Amino acid sequence: MLRILLANPSSLFLENTFDMDTPQRTTNASEIDFRRKFELKDKVVVISGGCGLIGRAFCEAVAQFGAHVVVADIAAAQPAIFAKELQAKHGNKCIGIDLAVEDKVSVTKLRDEIIASFGSIDGLVTAHQNKTHLIFEPFESVSEANWDKVVEVNLKGTFLLCQVLGSYMAEKGSGSIVNIPSTYSVVAPNQNLYKGTNMGCPAAYSASKGGIDALSQYLASYWAAKGVRVNMITPHGVWNKHEDQFEKNFANFSPMQRMSYNHEVAPALVYLLSDASSYMTGNNMLVDGGWTAW
Ligand SMILES: NC(=O)c1ccc[n+]([C@@H]2O[C@H](COP(=O)([O-])OP(=O)(O)OC[C@H]3O[C@@H](n4cnc5c(N)ncnc54)[C@H](O)[C@@H]3O)[C@@H](O)[C@H]2O)c1
C-alpha cells in the first residue's frame, strides 16, 4: 500500500489524496506476474445471498483463489453451515453470518462482526435477491406490497451494504465492490421467452435492478479517488432445473442456444475482485451468452 499526495498545480483548491495499491509503472509486461494478479489470497470477501444459486458458486470460486469468505444470507439459508464446509475444504477462515439486507441494524451488525473476526474488508459482493418476482403478476395488477418488497430487498439492500461496508472500505482507502443487476436492467424481457411456461419477469424486478446499475455507476465515480472500485456482473439465464419449455424457448432466443451455469458466472467475480481488474471501475460485465448482442 502506498500513499500518494497529488496536488493539482493549476488550482490552489484541488488537492486529492489517493491511498490505493499502486500498479507497477512499466511498459515491460514481461516484468509482470499475471497469474498473481488474479490471486485473492488472504483477502476478506463478503458475499450477500451467499447460499443462493450464483452466491454458492461465487463463494466456492473466491475460496479456491485464497480468499476468506464471509457467507451472508438469511437465517433460514443457514450460512454458517455452508461457511463451515468451505473452511473445511479450503483451509481459509470462512464464517457465515445471518443477514437481512433491508435492515440497517442487521447490515451494521454484519460489518462489526467481520471487523471483529478479520480486522478488514477487501471485497463486497451483493448477490442477494427477493424471489417475489418468480410469482409473475401482470403489470396491471401488481400489488404495492410485492413492488415494495422487491425494491426493498434488491435495491435498498444493495444501497445499505454499499453504504455500511463500502464506506468502511473507502475510509481505509481500498476495496472492490461487485453488484449484481440483471439483463432486465439492460434490455426488456422478451415476453415470448415465457410463452407456454409458468414463468415471467415483473416490472419491479427490472426497476430494482436498473436502480442497482445506476447506484453502482454513481459509487464508481464517487469512490474512485478513495481506492474503492465498483463494478457489476450481469448473469443471464443461469440453469436451475428449469421447466423444459422454458429451456427450449431460451435456447431459441440465445445466440449460444443454451442457458448458462453458475460456475460460468463466477470467474468474472475473481477478475473483478482481484488486482487483475485494477483499472476497471463502473463496468457491467455481461455474462449473457450474447443475449444483448443482437
Ligand atoms: N439466476 C439468474 O439467471 C440471474 C440472472 C440475472 C441476474 N441474477 C441475479 O443474480 C443474483 C443471484 O441470483 P441467484 O439465481 O443466485 O438467486 P437465488 O434466489 O438462488 O439466491 C438469492 C439469495 O439471496 C438470499 N436472500 C433473499 N432475501 C434476502 C434478504 N432479505 N437478506 C439477505 N439475503 C437474502 C436468499 O436466501 C438466497 O440465498 C440475484 O441478484 C439475481 O437477481 C440472476
Side-chain angles (χ1 to χ4, degrees), residues 26-43:
T26 182
T27 56
N28 183 2
S30 67
E31 291 172 7
I32 303 295
D33 182 342
F34 284 98
R35 278 175 195 270
R36 251 188 81 192
K37 276 181 179 276
F38 287 88
E39 266 183 22
L40 296 174
K41 196 166 163 23
D42 292 333
K43 292 198 190 239

Side-chain angles (χ1 to χ4, degrees), residues 1 4 15 104 140 151 157 174 177 246 256:
M1 187 94 59
I4 310 168
E15 195 180 74
K104 191 163 183 176
E140 292 81 355
V151 173
S174 70
I177 297 176
F246 181 80
M256 290 185 71

Side-chain angles (χ1 to χ4, degrees), residues 49 51-55 73-74 99-102 127-129 131 153 180-181 205 209 235 237-238:
C51 297
L53 175 70
I54 298 171
D73 210 309
I74 53 172
L99 170 71
V101 285
E102 67 277 31
H128 60 272
Q129 70 164 344
K131 284 227 178 204
V153 171
I180 315 292
Y205 182 77
K209 292 293 181 171
V238 182

Side-chain angles (χ1 to χ4, degrees), residues 82-125:
F82 182 40
K84 218 173 174 181
E85 286 168 20
L86 286 170
Q87 179 163 313
K89 185 175 172 199
H90 301 287
N92 328 338
K93 182 175 172 185
C94 298
I95 61 171
I97 299 179
D98 295 349
L99 170 71
V101 285
E102 67 277 31
D103 174 9
K104 191 163 183 176
V105 173
S106 176
V107 175
T108 305
K109 197 165 154 272
L110 171 74
R111 178 200 60 196
D112 293 347
E113 281 185 46
I114 299 166
I115 293 166
S117 292
F118 297 100
S120 67
I121 303 172
D122 302 298
L124 165 65
V125 186

Side-chain angles (χ1 to χ4, degrees), residues 203-217:
Y205 182 77
S206 295
S208 68
K209 292 293 181 171
I212 291 172
D213 195 331
L215 174 69
S216 304
Q217 291 200 52

